[in-house]
Structures are given as structure tokens and as C-alpha cells.
């Protein structure tokens, strides 16, 4: 009896903890609109789990009511909500049909094996469903972190393993519970107390897992916030392209690679011709749309190893590692023709756009980033002063239009 009381006391602490965690997620939903949908799901998860625990603890006060069957349904529903929130946070389409199917199976299990004499099968089936949902959540967290790492290679590789570990542990615990009850039901249920199979170790394990799950979800949110801050610091908000700070970092790394391997490094300075006229005729909203469209075009035309950045205003900079001067000139000409021949639209109006491009290349000797950028900028200045819609390279006075 003392052991049972201790177990129930631990479950009571767990229930209160779940309510506290739910209030934290509700606060996060109010303060962080970006995570509102996911955190509301996780708040509902904690509330349902806490409600299930309170039901387990007060089962003796509800004779004739299938409290444990209801609690099991609450647990399954809670984990389904947790899974749905994780999918939304990972940018995946929620598998609502699967969740509905799981809930239907859980309801079928509770109804088919409702009596105390059938509780073994109810516990086994419910535990397996809970184990499967926890395993699904583990995989979802791993995929989410993997996707973010693919976009930010500098992210810690072990983060996905750490954040998914609590869900993997919960899956194993529920699977172990199912196998234990199936193979040795007397270890959990003894004395015909099938519907009160709560042990002190089991209660402590759940308390530990619950805390770890909450910390893992919090870690996921903190990681996403950190990435947002990093994105805001290194990317242009209008076009989504890297900004000058990111370009400086990339250029430093590319220069080290070029010097180490004796390979050329080229830059293209790109400017929209007569951009002020676009703003005057179509307003700044039209000008912003032109900038966004051009940014997509440049990014789509760039190679995987290149970097396209918004340098400022209507100027863009493209960094071309392992590219000699001739290759830079060819790339610049391809971009010039692509912009000239691509439709730019704003509010059902065609907006004819051309660009001027200045190219410069480092191929040996001391590397000075500011000199390389200045050479490309000087070439761009000559391109604009000799007619626009053309390409000039740092070693030439001018290039013929349409070359």
C-alpha cells in the first residue's frame, strides 16, 4: 500500500507538472506567433496527459466508470496531437487520416477489451499504439533537424539525436511495457488489480520521460529561434538572398580555398538599369517586386557553388569560386540575356528590365577582397557609362553591347 501511495504521489506530481508545462506552452503561443500552432498542440498534449493522470488517481472514486479506458484514449490523443504539432513545425503536411485511424483503433481496443479480465490485451494494444506514436515523433524530430542542417551546414550534427532521444526512449518504454504485460502480467497486475497497474518505477520513468520530452520540444523551439535570428542577421528581408555580411564571410572562405588550391575567384557586380524610373512609374511596391523577381532569376541561374547576394539598393553581387575571367564574362553575358528576355510583371503591366554587369577575377598574388570588389564595381561603372545593358570586365575598357 505504501508503494502504491508513493506511485500515486509521483503520478500526482507528474500531472501537476504537465499542467505547468501546458501553461508554459500557452505563454509561448502568445509570445511567439511563429510557433503558435505547434505550441498550442503541445499545450493540448500536456493538458490531456495531465487529465489522464488525474483520472488514474481518482479511479476509485468513480465506480462503474471505465476511467482507465478513458485515460488511455486521452494518452493516445495527446501523443497524436504532439505528433501533429511536430509535423507542422517541421513543415510537413499533417497526417490527419493516420491520426484518425490511430484514434479509431484505440477506441476499438478500449471498447473490445473493457472488462478487468481483458485488461491484459487492452494494456498491450494501447502500449503498442503509444510506442508507435512516440517512434513517429522521434523520426519527425530527426527529419526536422536534418532539413534545417541541410540549409545551415554549420549546425551541430548531434542535435537531432539529442532532441529525438526522449521520444525514442518513450517508444522503447511503452514497447517494454507491452511485452512485460503480455509475457508476465502478474508482475504489473497482481492480485487482480489489472486496472490499477501503476508501479513506483513506472511512475518515476514517466516523470523522467515527460521532463525530457518537454525539454526536447523546448530545445527544438530555441533552435528554430536561433536559426531565425541568424537568418535575419545574414539575409536580406526583401529578396531572401544573403546580405553583405554573408557575402563577406563567404568571400573570406572562398579566398582561402582559392589561395590554397591556386584556383581563380571571380565576382560579378550587377545593377538594374534605370531602376529609378521603375519606382517612379510603378511605385516602390513595383520596384520591390522587380527586385524579388530578379533575385529569383539570379539564384536559379547560379551554380551550386556560387553565392548570389543583395549588395544594396538595386545592386547584386555574385561570387564565382573556381571561375576564370572568361568564365565570369560568359556567366555575366548569360545573366544579361536572361534578364533582357525574361518577363517582369507588376499589376498586369510589363516592366522591361535590363542589367549592367561588371566582372573581376583574382588569379594569383596577394588577395585583397576590397580591391577585387572595387575592380568589379569600376567595371560596372564603365558598363553603365557606355550604354548600359552590357558586360564589362576589369581588364577591358568596355565590351560591345550584346557581346
Amino acid at each position: 500500500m505504501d508503494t502504491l501511495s508513493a506511485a500515486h504521489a509521483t503520478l500526482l506530481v507528474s500531472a501537476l507538472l504537465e499542467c505547468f508545462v501546458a501553461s508554459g506552452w500557452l505563454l509561448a503561443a502568445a509570445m511567439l506567433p511563429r510557433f503558435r500552432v505547434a505550441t498550442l498542440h503541445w499545450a493540448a498534449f500536456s493538458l490531456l496527459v495531465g487529465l489522464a493522470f488525474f483520472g488514474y488517481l481518482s479511479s476509485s472514486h468513480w465506480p462503474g466508470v471505465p476511467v482507465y479506458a478513458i485515460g488511455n484514449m486521452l494518452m493516445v490523443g495527446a501523443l497524436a496531437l504532439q505528433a501533429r504539432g511536430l509535423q507542422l513545425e517541421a513543415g510537413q503536411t499533417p497526417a490527419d487520416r493516420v491520426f484518425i485511424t490511430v484514434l479509431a483503433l484505440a477506441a476499438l481496443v478500449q471498447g473490445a477489451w473493457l472488462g478487468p479480465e481483458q485488461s491484459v490485451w487492452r494494456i498491450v494494444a494501447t502500449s503498442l499504439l503509444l510506442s508507435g506514436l512516440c517512434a513517429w515523433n522521434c523520426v519527425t524530430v530527426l527529419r526536422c533537424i536534418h532539413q534545417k542542417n541541410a540549409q545551415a551546414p554549420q549546425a551541430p550534427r548531434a542535435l537531432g539525436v539529442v532532441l529525438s532521444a526522449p521520444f525514442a526512449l518513450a517508444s522503447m518504454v511503452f514497447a517494454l511495457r507491452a511485452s512485460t504485460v503480455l509475457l508476465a502480467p502478474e508482475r504489473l497486475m497482481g492480485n487482480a488489480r489489472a486496472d490499477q497497474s501503476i508501479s513506483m518505477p513506472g511512475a518515476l520513468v514517466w516523470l523522467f520521460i515527460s521532463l525530457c520530452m518537454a525539454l526536447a520540444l523546448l530545445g527544438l523551439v530555441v533552435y528554430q529561434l536561433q536559426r531565425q535570428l541568424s537568418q535575419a542577421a545574414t539575409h536580406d528581408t526583401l529578396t531572401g538572398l544573403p546580405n553583405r555580411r554573408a557575402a563577406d564571410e563567404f568571400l573570406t572562405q572562398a579566398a582561402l580555398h582559392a589561395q590554397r588550391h591556386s584556383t581563380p575567384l571571380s565576382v560579378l557586380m550587377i545593377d538594374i538599369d534605370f531602376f529609378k524610373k521603375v519606382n517612379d512609374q510603378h511605385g516602390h511596391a513595383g520596384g520591390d517586386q522587380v527586385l524579388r523577381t530578379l533575385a529569383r532569376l539570379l539564384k536559379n541561374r547560379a551554380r551550386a557553388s556560387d553565392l548570389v547576394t543583395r549588395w544594396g539598393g538595386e545592386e547584386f553581387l555574385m561570387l564565382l569560386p573556381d571561375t576564370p575571367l572568361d568564365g565570369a564574362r560568359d556567366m555575366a553575358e548569360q545573366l544579361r540575356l536572361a534578364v533582357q528576355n525574361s518577363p517582369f510583371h507588376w499589376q498586369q503591366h510589363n516592366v522591361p528590365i535590363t542589367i549592367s554587369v561588371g566582372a573581376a577575377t583574382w588569379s594569383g598574388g596577394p588577395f585583397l577582397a576590397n580591391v577585387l570588389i572595387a575592380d568589379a564595381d569600376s567595371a560596372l561603372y564603365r558598363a553603365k557609362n557606355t550604354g548600359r545593358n552590357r558586360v564589362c570586365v576589369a581588364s577591358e575598357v568596355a565590351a560591345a553591347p550584346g557581346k
Side-chain angles (χ1 to χ4, degrees):
M1 189 67 180
D2 291 339
T3 302
L4 187 61
S5 298
H8 278 75
T10 305
L11 278 180
L12 177 60
V13 171
S14 297
L16 294 174
L17 175 65
E18 294 292 349
C19 294
F20 177 76
V21 171
S23 64
W25 287 128
L26 290 174
L27 181 62
M31 298 180 61
L32 303 172
R34 156 69 177 79
F35 303 95
R36 180 167 296 158
V37 176
T39 51
L40 286 176
H41 278 72
W42 299 337
F45 160 78
S46 296
L47 286 173
L48 289 181
V49 172
L51 186 60
F53 287 166
F54 279 123
Y56 295 153
L57 293 171
S58 60
S59 59
S60 60
H61 301 290
W62 301 90
V65 178
V67 175
Y68 277 78
I70 296 174
N72 291 342
M73 285 297 302
L74 290 174
M75 289 290 291
V76 173
L79 282 171
L81 283 172
Q82 186 188 68
R84 195 175 191 276
L86 280 169
Q87 286 187 320
L88 290 170
E89 184 55 36
Q92 302 174 8
T93 302
D96 290 333
R97 291 184 179 180
V98 176
F99 297 141
I100 292 173
T101 301
V102 170
L103 289 172
L105 284 174
L108 181 63
V109 165
Q110 309 311 314
W113 295 314
L114 188 60
E117 67 282 357
Q118 301 167 318
S119 57
V120 169
W121 302 109
R122 185 176 70 247
I123 292 174
V124 169
T126 303
S127 297
L128 290 177
L129 286 174
L130 295 174
S131 176
L133 285 171
C134 290
W136 191 347
N137 290 344
C138 174
V139 173
T140 302
V141 171
L142 283 172
R143 286 180 176 176
C144 180
I145 299 299
H146 176 74
Q147 291 171 358
K148 305 307 178 184
N149 285 351
Q151 301 168 8
Q154 71 275 15
R157 297 297 178 181
L159 185 62
V161 176
V162 173
L163 295 184
S164 63
F167 306 97
L169 176 62
S171 178
M172 289 186 291
V173 167
F174 282 121
L176 180 62
R177 183 171 187 260
S179 60
T180 301
V181 173
L182 185 62
L183 298 176
E186 67 281 356
R187 294 183 59 183
L188 286 179
M189 290 176 289
N191 299 322
R193 296 181 60 84
D195 279 352
Q196 297 184 18
S197 52
I198 303 173
S199 65
M200 185 63 184
L204 288 173
V205 167
W206 173 259
L207 180 59
F208 175 75
I209 291 176
S210 178
L211 284 171
C212 290
M213 278 186 173
L215 289 174
L217 294 175
L218 178 61
L220 185 62
V221 171
V222 171
Y223 175 62
Q224 297 280 52
L225 282 173
Q226 184 273 332
R227 290 195 70 258
Q228 278 189 334
L229 292 174
S230 177
Q231 182 84 1
T234 59
H235 284 71
D236 174 56
T237 55
L238 176 64
T239 63
L241 293 178
N243 57 20
R244 291 184 67 159
R245 175 181 173 181
D248 289 340
E249 294 176 357
F250 183 90
L251 185 57
T252 299
Q253 297 300 318
L256 291 174
H257 174 83
Q259 291 173 307
R260 186 179 300 113
H261 299 280
S262 300
T263 56
L265 172 62
S266 296
V267 298
L268 302 180
M269 188 69 76
I270 303 165
D271 187 84
I272 302 176
D273 297 327
F274 303 110
F275 185 68
K276 186 177 183 299
K277 290 184 178 180
V278 175
N279 281 329
D280 291 342
Q281 294 176 7
H282 303 282
H284 288 287
D288 289 347
Q289 180 61 29
V290 167
L291 290 171
R292 284 191 290 264
T293 304
L294 178 59
R296 286 195 299 269
L297 186 151
L298 296 177
K299 188 174 181 180
N300 291 337
R301 292 274 176 170
R303 304 168 303 182
S305 59
D306 301 336
L307 182 72
V308 181
T309 69
R310 186 182 179 193
W311 195 244
E314 65 271 24
E315 284 189 339
F316 296 83
L317 184 73
M318 182 178 288
L319 304 176
L320 309 172
D322 301 322
T323 305
L325 187 60
D326 288 343
R329 183 192 293 111
D330 291 342
M331 171 65 83
E333 186 62 22
Q334 291 174 23
L335 295 174
R336 187 191 69 79
L337 290 173
V339 172
Q340 178 180 282
N341 298 326
S342 295
F344 286 72
H345 301 291
W346 173 247
Q347 294 183 343
Q348 300 180 346
H349 295 288
N350 289 327
V351 185
I353 295 297
T354 61
I355 59 173
S356 298
V357 186
T361 299
W362 176 88
S363 56
F367 180 86
L368 297 173
N370 59 333
V371 173
L372 181 62
I373 299 296
D375 286 346
D377 198 47
S378 297
L380 171 64
Y381 182 78
R382 290 198 300 269
K384 297 184 77 69
N385 282 346
T386 53
R388 291 183 169 84
N389 189 25
R390 63 181 61 208
V391 174
C392 283
V393 299
S395 63
E396 297 177 350
V397 175
K403 180 178 178 180

